[in-house]
């Protein structure tokens, strides 16, 4: 059942816990959950899948991507990899090869608080990809970083297992 508010926006008369949030646009989720954190609008869209959602897997890496590769080589099962590179803009942590690996593994998306490369290849993939910018330089190859730790990017702390919802209007987090 819906009702109409004074601005003619339909409102749902259902408890938000019973709604299938994975099917809702970020704007509707934001209306239903005004307390849900939303990342500052600093991320650009690079993948071929503008709408994606799934449980977060988190990484903190300092300009090196072997841990990114290692995680994306594991079954994604519809999850979203959230990579905190501290906002570094001096190299790319994800490119076409790792994007293909993510698609093959069943990942829904990758959010990089840093850069990506091979942007024309990423745009052809059925993968959500958000990053701050593109950069042609590849990352370092040392296995540095941490997995499954809280990461803070664009003003929001994301914990492993939090539900990430991304579309053309933004990125919203529903804490686990």
């Amino acid at each position: 059942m819906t009702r109409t508010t004074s601005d003619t926006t339909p409102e749902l008369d259902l408890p938000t816990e019973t709604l299938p949030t994975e099917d809702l646009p970020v704007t509707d989720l934001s209306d239903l959950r005004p307390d849900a954190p939303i990342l500052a609008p600093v991320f650009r869209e690079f993948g071929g899948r503008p709408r994606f959602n799934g449980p977060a897997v988190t990484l903190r890496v300092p300009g090196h991507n072997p841990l990114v590769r290692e995680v994306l080589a594991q079954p994604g099962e519809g999850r979203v990899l959230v990579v905190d590179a501290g906002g570094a803009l001096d190299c790319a942590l994800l490119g076409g090869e790792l994007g293909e690996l993510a698609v093959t593994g069943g990942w829904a998306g990758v959010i990089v608080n840093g850069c990506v490369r091979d942007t024309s290849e990423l745009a052809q993939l059925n993968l959500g990809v958000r990053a701050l910018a593109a950069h042609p330089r590849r990352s370092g190859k040392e296995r540095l970083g941490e997995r499954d730790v809280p990461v803070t990017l664009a003003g929001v702390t994301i914990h492993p297992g939090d539900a990430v919802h991304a579309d053309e209007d933004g990125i919203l987090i529903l804490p686990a």
Side-chain angles (χ1 to χ4, degrees):
M1 170 186 260
T2 61
R3 67 176 184 261
T4 305
T5 62
S6 59
D7 69 353
T8 68
T9 302
E11 290 187 4
L12 298 172
D13 282 336
L14 296 170
T16 56
E17 305 85 47
T18 64
L19 293 174
T21 58
E22 65 276 359
D23 296 329
L24 293 175
V26 169
T27 52
D28 291 346
L29 282 172
S30 176
D31 291 348
L32 290 168
R33 296 283 305 274
D35 60 322
I38 297 173
L39 276 65
V42 296
F43 291 93
R44 293 176 44 197
E45 188 176 311
F46 291 97
R49 185 176 180 184
R51 297 177 181 203
F52 61 96
N53 61 71
V57 173
T58 61
L59 291 178
R60 184 179 301 121
V61 296
H64 295 261
N65 77 352
L67 196 53
V68 175
R69 175 184 295 279
E70 182 179 303
V71 171
L72 291 176
Q74 299 168 3
E77 301 169 336
R79 295 177 293 172
V80 176
L81 180 59
V82 180
V83 181
D84 182 9
L89 300 174
D90 58 351
C91 69
L93 293 173
L94 178 81
E97 185 179 317
L98 292 187
E100 289 277 355
L101 187 62
V103 170
T104 301
W107 290 84
V110 181
I111 299 172
V112 180
N113 187 27
C115 296
V116 297
R117 69 186 207 163
D118 303 324
T119 59
S120 62
E121 293 174 37
L122 293 174
Q124 300 303 311
L125 298 176
N126 183 21
L127 179 69
V129 178
R130 297 291 196 288
L132 298 177
H135 197 290
R137 180 165 289 125
R138 69 180 179 179
S139 72
K141 299 303 175 195
E142 292 182 52
R143 191 185 180 282
L144 301 174
E146 302 171 273
R147 179 181 175 167
D148 296 325
V149 295
V151 295
T152 301
L153 45 140
V156 174
T157 299
I158 302 170
H159 295 87
D162 285 352
V164 177
H165 295 267
D167 69 14
E168 299 88 345
D169 291 315
I171 303 170
L172 178 140
I173 306 299
L174 294 177

